[in-house]
Structures are given as structure tokens and as C-alpha cells.
Amino acid sequence: MSNRQGAPAASAAPGAAIESRVERCFAALKAARRGGLVVFVAAGDPDPETFFEILSGLPEAGVDVIEIGMPFSDPMADGPAIQAASLRALQAGMTLSGTLDMAARFRTQDDETPIILMGYYNPIYSYGPQKFLEDAREAGVDGLIIVDLPPEEDVELCLPTIDAGLHWIRLATPTTDDKRLPAVLSNTSGFVYYVSIMGITGTRSASGAAVREAVTRLKRHTDLPVAVGFGIKTPEQAAEIVTVADAVVVGSAVIERLKAGLDEAGRAQPGLVEDVLGFVRALAEGVRQGRPG
Amino acid sequence: MEALNTYKAGPDERGHFGMYGGRFVAETLMPLILAVEQAYEAARNDPAFQATIDDFAKHYVGRPSPLYFAERLTELFGDGDKGAKIYFKRDELNHTGAHKINNCLGQILLAKRMGKTRIIAETGAGQHGVATATVCARFDLPCVVYMGVEDIERQKPNVFRMKLLGAEVVPVTSGSRTLKDAMNEALRDWVANVENTFYIIGTVAGPHPYPAMVRDFQRVIGDEVREQILAAEGRLPDTLVACIGGGSNAMGLFYAFLDEEDIRLIGVEAAGHGLDTDKHAASLTGGRPGVLHGNRTYLLQDDDGQILEAHSISAGLDYPGIGPEHSWLKDTGRVAYVSATDAEALDAFQLCSRFEGIIPALEPAHALAHVKRIAPELPKDHLIVMNLCGRGDKDVFTVADALGVEI
């Protein structure tokens, strides 16, 4: 593994303080002395148009960073909620290039909210990593989280991503010990995503004490903001997380809410978008109450 | 491809066979994967570890398995002054009825060495599940086997066997509900239980060190063939044939012969309804490189990189991927990969039963289908060794159904 400087800084002119959207976002949160809300939605779930309506409404609902899941047929690290979301999206015709189109379309109306794409390597490998990075940057994507690319495989996509001027956001987990942590944090920029449990998305939840201890440990090793995800389901849990972390990630719970608005054939029923955004608004309020400025 | 002086040097320290292999897993698993690698390195250099495997292989598994001259099929396939001499490596005579136990024995001893207290596994045909449940009973470890509901339906006898052996069989309803989804589910379990759980992967796939480790535990097949054919014929064979799903029986047979380049090595994939349909499981002959289940290898996938459902009449071959070492052996040209359809396998299944009194599993029936294809054209002194890697008891319902017989 070779070390590289944080990408956006490297692509900036010497001395110029050009920040990425992600960096601006976390700087603003810090200035406002509040935690951030990161929300995960699966691209094209339950269908492209309904998805885009949800996506478009997220910033107004109080989301600070948007994670868009790139649907994959075999999401090994995801629980039933996101597995089902991936499948719905794929069945509704979503593809990787379709996901990039969604991001690009979002950018025409919002040039500030960071977009992170999250998923698995194979669709990108199939698309062609270099072409993917060019198209993602063109679409206004800010960073990538790729679940099945640990530091041991950095040459595949991590280093090219940094070269392309995008953030590579790594997952740190309860099994990432102090010996391994430097490798995990190297080549990471934007923020660090702490997976608060051993397990898959949307299942069990970590205790507040365990998260506090873990974030404290991470902070000893990095100055990057830390976002905590996996198993966070309610505004109350989100509020608790941001008392110790810089941001909280909620995915499966939002998707469960979406699923509740589908009819038996999996089609969006009237009111689904507003209901999902209402839930996100409640999460955002929770986050704002967790650490009132 | 640069010239190689050995095909047996792989994988490199990062688990690569050429461009294939690697460690494409979630961070949660990574520390454990490294621990498995370290523990395996120590174990394979420990003569006591190998001695324990050898002892169980002999007295519990029943190794060495015989090398058997299939005289009647040799006659049947022969044509006048032509027709290769066909030998079967009888790995279907192992305890539990397939080669899978060779690997399970090695892995459970490693799990014990690592102090793990819980075993998980995935299974397609159920042979690996049964073998895992068997060693778990013998070594007193709780066992959870993930199995797609499609496979549970077509492999009922093996499901019951696993239960008799004390294993919990978890039906997998996600995705295509077959082997690949069982593997996803096993990986999900592992991520949630890394601290006490060892995942016994059933084939030469998955993140490094699994492909190399499973190969090492299966290479006994080829090592024995080498000795046995020398004893029987006074020389090495001309052609080796094995079926390929994930590819563990084939790697086990081929490995000892990789550097004898005049020996033809042939892997037979499952062509299902035919390679020109979307219902087959031939990832090497019908797929392209991708990344799944911890390694880069040939995969059946669509234009978007989504993994496709495989199809084969044989649950054990019904997997859209293949071990990474096979992908590399394909690209280097050292091994030839061909395929046989459901119908050809069914035909071979019946021939083997009628002419040799051996009911083979549907998996090696694919290998036999190819032997039937090539044997008639070869000279009488041409020696073929085919790995008869499993017995067919588990398949009688499937075959009866395919032949329209009610039992």
C-alpha cells in the first residue's frame, strides 16, 4: 500500500484553499457545532422516478450528506432491507450508468450537498474503473465507499479514485485493531465511516458506550470527521450518536420506511415520498437536538 | 503471458494467481482472513498437523481411494482399434460419498487449532454440507449450514443427513436461492460472528488463503493417482478429466500433474440446457472476469456486472463463479475447459450405472460425458484418469424426475 495525500487537496492549486463539498460540509457542521446526518438510499428504489423525488427532497429534509447505493445482485454486507432495495432497483431497470445519471440530474438542482456512492466492486470493475471515475466526477459525485475493497486491494480502485480527485471513504469496524487502523486510515479522505457493529446493515445496534469508546479511539489516529453507521434506526439513536461522532448514517431504517409505502406488487403508493422524507426530517431533528449548537 | 517454469508457484503473498484471486472482503472480515492465513501457514509447516490429517484420512475417511480400471466403459466407448483406457479415481468411496471430506477434515483441524468454537458452511448439492456436518460431529463443534431453498428441495436426502449429524440447516431465500446466495448468507453470518466462528468454504474459491488452502487439502487426490497409475501401468496418465463447479475436485486431481505439460488436463463445466441458452453454469467458457465472494475470477454476469443465476441439473455445479486458480490455468492455456449439458450428463449417469455398477453423482457424470466424447478417438494405449468425485445416491430423485419416472 502506498500513501497518498487526501485527494481534493492534491488536486488544488498550491496554497489555494479549495475544499471539496464534503470538506465544506463538515467544516460548516463544525462551525454550527452540530452533528451531521448522512442518509443512504438505494439508487432506483423502488423505481427511478420515485427514487429521484426522494433524492431531490433529502437536502430540504435536513440531510447533510447523501449516500447513494449502487445496486448489486449480491450485497454480501447488507441485511434484508438493503438486499431487497437492491433487488427492487435492479428489477426496475437500474444500472450503474443509471445511478450516475441520477447523481448528475441531482447536481443540476443542488451543487452543494455531497454525494457519496456506496456499493460493491464488481459493477464498477465491469464498467471499467477509469471510465467509471471519469463519469462519476463528471456527474458530480464526491466520493466512494466500496465495501469489498479493503486496503489490501488499494491498487484496484482506491488509488485511481484519489488520482481522479474523489474522496475514498473507508469503513473502519470493531475488528479493526490499533495495529491495522493506520492502514485503514491511509488513503482515506473526506470522512471515516465507522461500522458500529460486527455484522450486516440494518440488524443489531451498538451501545452508546461502545460507540463512544470506538470513536475516541479513531480520533486518536485521525483528524478526519467520523460518521457512525449500521443499526441506527430512530431519531433518538441518531441523537445519541452525534453526541460522540461527527455524523450519523441511517440507511436500512429509511428503506424500511420506503418499503412500507409499497403495494403488494412493489409499486410506490401515493404519499410514499412524503412519508419517507417525513421520517428523514424526524432523523434530522433528532440529530440537531443531540448536540444543540 | 510470460513463459513459466512451474505452474505450482501460485498464489503470491497477496493471494493472486496471475490477475485472479485476491482478498475482496469487507473490512470486518479482513483481520480474521489474515489470521486464518497466518494460522494456515503455521499449520502446513507443522508435521504434527499433517500427521493428524493423514491419520484421519486413513482411518476415518478411508483413503487412499482406489484407482479403478473401468473396463466395460473402456470397451463400450472403444471403436475397433481405437479407444482410450479409462480409469476412475474412486473418491466417491470416501466417507460421506464425495471428495469434500478431504477439505473439511483439514479445515476443521485448523479451526480447532485457532480455538474457534462454531463452524459455518455453505452448500449446493449438500455434499459439502454433509461433510462439514460430519467433521463437526466428530470434533464436537456446533455447525450451521446455509443452503438455498431450491437446493433443499432437490437434495432432500442430504438435508436430512445433515440434520442427523446434528447440524442446523438454514434455508436461504434471497437472490436465486442456490449456492451463490448460500455463500452470501454464510458471509453475512461470518461478519456478525467473526470472534468465535470459522467458515469452512467448500471449494477452491473465496478470499485468499481459501483457494490455495482448499487445493492443498484436496491435492491428495492427484498425489494418490500418481502413485497408483505408476503401480498399475508403469507410467503417468495421458489425460486427466474432472468436472468443475467451484473446481475443488479438479484442482485436487490436477495439481500433482500441472508441471507435466504433455499430460492433458481437462475441466468439464456444466452447460445446463446449452451454452447458447441463458441456462448454464459454465463460468469459464461462458463468462468473463469479475469480483465476487472475495476473489477475482470468471463469473457469469450481465453487461452491468450483476451476477447471473447459474443453471445445472447438478446442484453441485450450479454456481456462477469458479476458483481463481482455474481462471488463471484457463488463461495460461495449461488446462482445457469444456462443458457438458444436462442431457449428456444424464446419459453418462445411466451408462456408468449400467456398465460399471457405479451410480455416480451428477457432477462427475459431466466429466464422464466428456470422456465418452473423446475416448473413442484416442489410441488404445492412451490412459485417461477421471475423477469420480461423488456417488449418486443423493441424485436418484432428480434423475428419476428428469427421466419421467415416479418413485
Side-chain angles (χ1 to χ4, degrees), chain A residues 73 75 122 153 156 180 204, chain B residues 23 188 192 291 296 306:
Chain A
S73 54
N122 197 57
E153 303 291 349
E156 294 286 334
R180 189 170 166 76
R204 53 193 170 193
Chain B
R23 286 175 291 211
R188 288 178 188 125
V291 174
R296 185 189 346 254
Q306 308 296 337

Side-chain angles (χ1 to χ4, degrees), chain B residues 261-343:
Chain B
E261 291 203 52
D262 49 346
I263 298 179
R264 286 171 67 194
L265 308 177
I266 304 173
V268 186
E269 296 191 293
H273 296 180
L275 292 184
D276 52 349
T277 71
D278 61 357
K279 295 218 177 317
H280 64 79
S283 31
L284 285 174
T285 37
R288 62 192 161 86
V291 174
L292 181 72
H293 294 152
N295 57 174
R296 185 189 346 254
T297 193
Y298 277 80
L299 299 173
L300 298 179
Q301 53 184 321
D302 70 12
D303 291 343
D304 193 41
Q306 308 296 337
I307 309 305
L308 296 171
E309 293 178 23
H311 166 83
S312 169
I313 190 170
S314 140
L317 304 182
D318 200 345
Y319 179 66
I322 174 107
E325 193 165 9
H326 283 295
S327 292
W328 176 72
L329 289 168
K330 173 191 161 70
D331 285 6
T332 56
R334 175 62 189 98
V335 178
Y337 294 91
V338 299
S339 64
T341 62
D342 287 354

Side-chain angles (χ1 to χ4, degrees), chain B residues 9-27:
Chain B
D12 67 16
E13 72 283 358
R14 292 164 60 226
H16 292 144
F17 301 92
M19 67 177 272
Y20 301 101
R23 286 175 291 211
F24 297 88
V25 297
E27 171 61 23

Side-chain angles (χ1 to χ4, degrees), chain A residues 120-168:
Chain A
Y120 298 81
Y121 185 37
N122 197 57
I124 295 172
Y125 183 68
S126 172
Y127 192 97
Q130 210 52 51
K131 181 176 185 312
F132 170 77
L133 289 169
E134 286 161 22
D135 292 354
R137 199 165 65 161
E138 186 70 20
V141 169
D142 300 285
L144 302 178
I145 302 175
I146 307 299
V147 179
D148 52 354
L149 286 175
E152 281 72 7
E153 303 291 349
D154 269 0
V155 291
E156 294 286 334
L157 189 64
C158 166
L159 301 182
T161 297
I162 293 168
D163 287 342
L166 297 178
H167 289 293
W168 183 258

Side-chain angles (χ1 to χ4, degrees), chain A:
Chain A
M1 276 164 283
S2 61
N3 258 297
R4 303 212 182 162
Q5 291 302 313
S11 61
I18 298 176
E19 291 177 320
S20 69
R21 290 187 193 94
V22 175
E23 286 161 335
R24 276 201 300 275
C25 172
F26 279 98
L29 287 168
K30 197 173 176 184
R33 297 179 55 204
R34 71 167 176 90
L37 174 63
V38 184
V39 160
F40 172 97
V41 279
D45 175 31
D47 62 79
E49 280 318 304
T50 307
F51 169 76
F52 191 73
E53 272 188 66
I54 294 171
L55 183 67
S56 302
L58 291 176
E60 185 274 325
V63 172
D64 299 294
V65 176
I66 299 172
E67 264 181 34
I68 300 180
M70 299 174 277
F72 183 46
S73 54
D74 294 79
M76 284 89 73
D78 285 302
I82 295 178
Q83 286 175 41
S86 273
L87 209 62
R88 283 194 297 269
L90 291 172
Q91 278 166 357
M94 190 43 62
T95 59
L96 186 53
S97 70
T99 302
L100 293 173
D101 290 345
M102 290 282 160
R105 199 170 140 199
F106 176 84
R107 272 284 167 261
T108 62
Q109 59 195 44
D110 182 320
D111 196 32
E112 208 41 53
T113 310
I115 296 176
I116 310 297
L117 296 185
M118 182 165 183
Y120 298 81
Y121 185 37
N122 197 57
I124 295 172
Y125 183 68
S126 172
Y127 192 97
Q130 210 52 51
K131 181 176 185 312
F132 170 77
L133 289 169
E134 286 161 22
D135 292 354
R137 199 165 65 161
E138 186 70 20
V141 169
D142 300 285
L144 302 178
I145 302 175
I146 307 299
V147 179
D148 52 354
L149 286 175
E152 281 72 7
E153 303 291 349
D154 269 0
V155 291
E156 294 286 334
L157 189 64
C158 166
L159 301 182
T161 297
I162 293 168
D163 287 342
L166 297 178
H167 289 293
W168 183 258
I169 293 150
R170 199 96 76 181
L171 302 170
T173 73
T175 60
T176 312
D177 57 20
D178 281 338
K179 202 173 127 228
R180 189 170 166 76
L181 201 46
V184 168
L185 293 171
S186 73
N187 299 331
T188 301
S189 68
F191 63 94
V192 180
Y193 186 141
Y194 180 66
V195 174
S196 62
I197 53 151
M198 278 185 279
I200 52 178
T201 53
T203 52
R204 53 193 170 193
S205 305
S207 73
V211 172
R212 182 181 300 274
E213 193 186 318
V215 173
T216 307
R217 183 166 73 93
L218 281 175
K219 292 279 188 185
R220 277 204 304 272
H221 291 267
T222 182
D223 294 329
L224 288 170
V226 176
V228 175
F230 280 47
I232 295 146
K233 295 171 182 147
T234 64
E236 294 72 31
Q237 284 174 315
E240 191 185 357
I241 294 289
V242 292
T243 60
V244 295
D246 299 289
V248 58
V249 189
V250 184
S252 297
V254 174
I255 283 166
E256 289 289 4
R257 197 68 180 231
L258 182 154
K259 188 183 158 199
L262 299 175
D263 66 15
E264 276 175 15
R267 286 181 303 249
Q269 299 181 104
L272 178 148
V273 172
E274 206 29 63
D275 186 55
V276 169
L277 292 176
F279 177 63
V280 171
R281 220 167 272 127
L283 290 168
E285 277 160 27
V287 164
R288 279 159 178 81
Q289 279 159 16
R291 208 170 38 169

